[in-house]
Each structure stands twice: as C-alpha cells, then as structure tokens.
Amino acid sequence: MSALTPSRPSSIPRPSYAAVLRVPHARRTFLAALAARLAYGTVTLSVLLSVTRAAGSYAWSGVVMAVFGGSAVVLMPVRAALVDRYGPRRALPPMAAAYSAVLCLLAALTWHPGAPPALLAAAAALAGCVAPPLGPAMRAAWGRLVDDPALRRRAYSLDGVAEELLFVSGPALVGLLLRFGPPPAGLLLSALLMAAGTCAFVTSPAVRGVTPGKRASGGAARGAFPAAPVAAAAGLGLALSGADLLVTAFVGQRSYGAQAVPWILGALSVGSAAGGLLHGAVEWRRPAAGRLARLTAALGAALALAGAATGVWTLVLALTVAGVFVAPALTTAYLLADESAAESARNRAGAWVNAAVNAGSSVGAVGAGLALGHLPVGLCFALAGAVALVCAVLVRAVDRS
C-alpha cells in the first residue's frame, strides 16, 4: 500500500464524503444517475428469467445473455465517443429512449411463452447496442463538478461503492417484483428507471451546461485510450469473473450446500465496499499509476491465497481481504483515465475502462470453467490471482514507458 501524507495545512479540514454531496448540483446529478444506472442492476436478471420462461431453454437463455452483454461491451466506447462529440444532453436521451423502447418490446415478446428465440436474441442485441454509458458520463460529471483532487477521489470512491451496491440491490428488487408480476415486469421497470433517470440527469445544471467536445486537431484526442487503466481493469475482470464458479465448485466439493455460495460471495462485496470508502478517505502520496499497480498486485495475491483455504470461514476471510482491493483498484483506474484524458475524451476514457472490466469478466468466466475441468479448485484460485499479478506488472511497465 502507498504511504500517506497530508496534502493541505492541518488547519484546513480534510474533505469528507458529506462534502462531496454538498458540492452545488452534485446531489441531484448523482441521484439521477444512480436511478438510471439501477436499470443495469435490474435488467440482467430480468432478461435471463424472461427469456428462460418464454423460450423454455437454458441454452437459448445463454445465447441471448451473451449477445446482450457482448453488444453492450463492444460498442460502449463508440457510444461514449458520441457523448463526447455531441454532449450528454444531445446524445444520452436518444440512447435512453431507444434502450427503454427495446426493453418494452422484449417484455412484450416474453410476456407469454413461445416467442421465437432468434427474435429474442435480436432484440437483446439491439438493446445492448444502444445502452447509454451513464457510468462514464457520471464520472465525467464528477470531474467537472469537483476541482480539488482529494475531494474528487472521494467522489469517485463514493460513486464506485454506490454502483456496486446497485448491482447487489437490483436483483433483490427484481425478486420482490416477482411476487406481484411475471419476469417481464422487471424489463418494464428497467425501462422506466432508465428513461426517468436519464431525463433527470441531463436536465441537471451540472450537465445542462456541458458543451459538446471539439474534435482533436491531429487525430484521436489525448487519453482517449488509457492503456494502464485498461490493462488493470481487464486484469480485475479476468481475475474476479471466475469467483462465482470457483466458490460454487469449492462449496460443492465439500458438501456445504448451495445456500452457502451467496454468503461467501457477499464477503467479496462487503470487503470491496469497505475498501472503497477507506481508499477515498485516505490521502495518498504515491501517484495514481503507482497505486494502481500495487492495488492490482495485492488483489492478485489475496486471490492466490484463497486457493489455500481449508474451509468456508478461511475462504470468507480470504475473499474479504481480496475485496478490500477491488473498489480501490477500479476507482484508481477511473481516476487515472480521467486525469490522462483531454476534456473532449473523458467519456471515452472511462468507457474503455468499463468495457475492459466487462470484457475481462466474460473471457475469465470461460477460462475458469475450462480450468475447473482439469485442475483442482485451489490451483484455479491461484491462477486467477496470477492473472491479476501479471496485469499489475503490465500496468507498471506502461506507466514507466
């Protein structure tokens, strides 16, 4: 971990998380973005349950989920470039409207069983293609709202922890909704959250006054592709994506019962939330690039140690320690991407980091499944940690170059 030092005279109070929300227009903008981003927390489970119910096939459900996630990840930098080029007020509402409309169409197609699976896959792919890049847009907004580096770090940490909580609370909200309606009702809820949240976001004074970015005179804008943050984010996605599968295999081999899996994985989320809040509250002397390499390496070491777990409680402890480094590493990657990018490329820089995490997760899940077919669970955990360690070395090499 990095050394600490105060960056301001002792007579001046350190900025707090409450101070972040007291920044003019910050609270309204942040809450609006969270409302829209909650749609991404509810939509994945809603699509999975709706397609499974309508198509009656887990195989087709997997295909639909793959094209939905794949189109969203691959085209995210393109959509973010549109936000940079035309500004959030002009670019985000059409995306949100199209995304919500396609979700409503998908809800109509899956309301009753028997829908053609190919049509469901096409609708899901279209939804992924137009999904608004609200995470990068909100982080770019933080960069404009907050000038002080320490306060901006707290803002990014708060944003990262809140986003992680959305992906925990989203499925729970869908589960509650299922008591009153069929799975496609979750798609309608996701559409409503996206449309209303995006509308509130772009009408916030912090976003309303943003002018479209100018094209770079000599080609791509500076920092549009932040190599070190992308490498770290891809490593995090690769290393963490197999955690669900590895924990499930660990529990199954020891006959603990499947009900233990959510609690074990919850330790990773708890550690991440605690680590994210702590990271934002501390003032670091080491530059962001150096912190990023160390945080990624620490995560890899903790995951590798999880392979030596002998029981549930030792695995919970190891994953909690690993989680402590997840949110800080992602927050630092986003901060470094924002700092290195020109004003006209902030959304793209953040989108590349986001896309790298998701792409790494997709590839890593496949790799974990293949590894489990030939190697012990403990060694698979060690390999996951080794991936993060290799990416930490790459981050350091890119930083030095």
Side-chain angles (χ1 to χ4, degrees):
M1 299 297 291
S2 306
L4 312 181
T5 185
S7 62
R8 55 180 52 76
S10 58
S11 59
I12 300 178
R14 293 181 178 179
S16 64
Y17 287 108
V20 171
L21 297 178
R22 286 197 297 267
V23 172
H25 313 306
R27 188 183 294 109
R28 173 182 170 178
T29 308
F30 185 43
L31 291 178
L34 287 182
R37 291 154 79 182
L38 179 57
Y40 292 135
T42 59
V43 72
T44 302
L45 182 58
S46 298
V47 170
L48 176 62
L49 295 177
S50 299
V51 172
T52 301
R53 177 174 176 266
S57 167
Y58 288 110
W60 270 109
S61 298
V63 171
V64 171
M65 294 302 299
V67 297
F68 177 60
S71 59
V73 170
V74 171
L75 294 179
M76 179 177 285
V78 176
R79 297 190 299 273
L82 293 175
V83 178
D84 282 327
R85 180 71 184 95
Y86 297 104
R89 288 196 69 198
R90 292 176 61 188
L92 288 177
M95 294 183 198
Y99 182 80
S100 299
V102 176
L103 288 187
C104 290
L105 172 62
L106 192 57
L109 291 172
T110 57
W111 202 269
H112 300 288
L119 184 58
L120 299 181
L126 181 57
C129 288
V130 297
L134 285 160
M138 183 62 231
R139 283 182 282 270
W142 281 126
R144 291 186 294 267
L145 283 167
V146 181
D147 294 326
D148 180 73
L151 195 60
R152 184 180 300 175
R153 186 175 61 251
R154 282 160 177 77
Y156 270 59
S157 295
L158 180 64
D159 188 276
V161 171
E163 185 174 53
E164 183 159 335
L165 292 177
L166 290 181
F167 283 95
V168 173
S169 59
L173 183 57
V174 173
L176 179 63
L177 188 64
L178 289 176
R179 293 188 173 189
F180 306 97
L187 296 174
L188 298 179
L189 174 63
S190 302
L192 177 61
L193 287 169
M194 179 59 70
T198 302
C199 181
F201 178 72
V202 299
T203 56
S204 166
V207 178
R208 194 168 58 231
V210 177
T211 56
K214 296 180 180 179
R215 290 183 183 272
S217 58
R222 175 178 59 83
F225 181 80
V230 166
L236 289 172
L238 284 166
L240 293 173
S241 59
D244 295 26
L245 193 56
L246 295 179
V247 168
T248 302
F250 181 94
V251 168
Q253 289 180 3
R254 288 162 175 78
S255 303
Y256 287 116
Q259 66 273 13
V261 173
W263 297 101
I264 298 174
L265 292 175
L268 190 69
S269 297
V270 169
S272 179
L277 292 174
L278 178 62
H279 177 265
V282 169
E283 299 193 28
W284 303 96
R285 181 174 61 191
R286 189 176 300 277
R291 293 204 313 274
L292 181 58
R294 282 167 168 75
L295 289 167
T296 307
L299 170 65
L303 280 178
L305 287 175
T310 56
V312 167
W313 292 112
T314 51
L315 182 60
V316 165
L317 178 61
L319 290 181
T320 302
V321 173
V324 168
F325 303 105
V326 173
L330 282 176
T331 297
T332 305
Y334 284 122
L335 272 171
L336 186 59
D338 183 80
E339 291 171 359
S340 63
E343 177 65 29
S344 61
R346 277 181 165 176
N347 286 282
R348 268 172 291 174
W352 275 113
V353 176
N354 201 330
V357 174
N358 293 320
S361 296
S362 300
V363 175
V366 175
L370 293 175
L372 278 172
H374 301 85
L375 301 172
V377 176
L379 185 54
C380 290
F381 269 114
L383 288 175
V387 168
L389 288 170
V390 170
C391 287
V393 173
L394 292 176
V395 169
R396 190 61 176 165
V398 171
D399 176 45
R400 286 179 175 174
S401 66

